[in-house]
Amino acid sequence: MPDHKRGNGPTTGSRIAVAVALLLIDLLVVAWLLYGYGITGWADAHDPANPPEAPHLARRSAWLLSAGAIVTGGGLLLLRRWTAGTVQLAALGGAAALFAFLAAR
């Protein structure tokens, strides 16, 4: 029998599985927000009399994703779940930057 102790933390496989599951959820949220932005932009094109709403929606989406990146990514990093926390910060932070770019256009 080996003389080493077994760790109490999650295995590498379970850490990666959690990171991938959260990434899929992130991608679904980002896709939903992009769809809403596209539909709003399409509606704005057919209603030139009113001010466009798509930049406002993109700005709100950027704030939502930024807050999600800080809360979920930061929380996971505080719990010492480095892989999942980094994935959350990168995915949601990158999507927030995309929406900030769309809002500035």
Side-chain angles (χ1 to χ4, degrees):
M1 286 287 216
D3 228 12
H4 56 84
K5 294 182 181 180
R6 188 161 226 201
N8 292 336
T11 63
T12 303
S14 65
R15 289 180 185 181
I16 292 173
V18 167
V20 168
L22 289 173
L23 179 63
L24 290 176
I25 293 170
D26 293 343
L27 291 177
L28 286 174
V29 169
V30 170
W32 176 66
L33 290 171
L34 277 173
Y35 176 76
Y37 175 78
I39 291 295
T40 305
W42 175 80
D44 287 343
H46 292 288
D47 188 16
N50 292 322
E53 295 178 21
H56 175 68
L57 181 66
R59 197 173 311 112
R60 187 173 25 177
S61 298
W63 279 107
L64 176 75
L65 292 168
S66 297
I70 292 167
V71 170
T72 59
L76 287 166
L77 289 175
L78 284 175
L79 292 173
R80 296 181 186 263
R81 304 295 186 244
W82 308 117
T83 305
T86 304
V87 168
Q88 287 294 102
L89 284 172
L92 293 177
L98 169 71
F99 277 102
F101 171 76
L102 291 174
R105 285 181 54 200

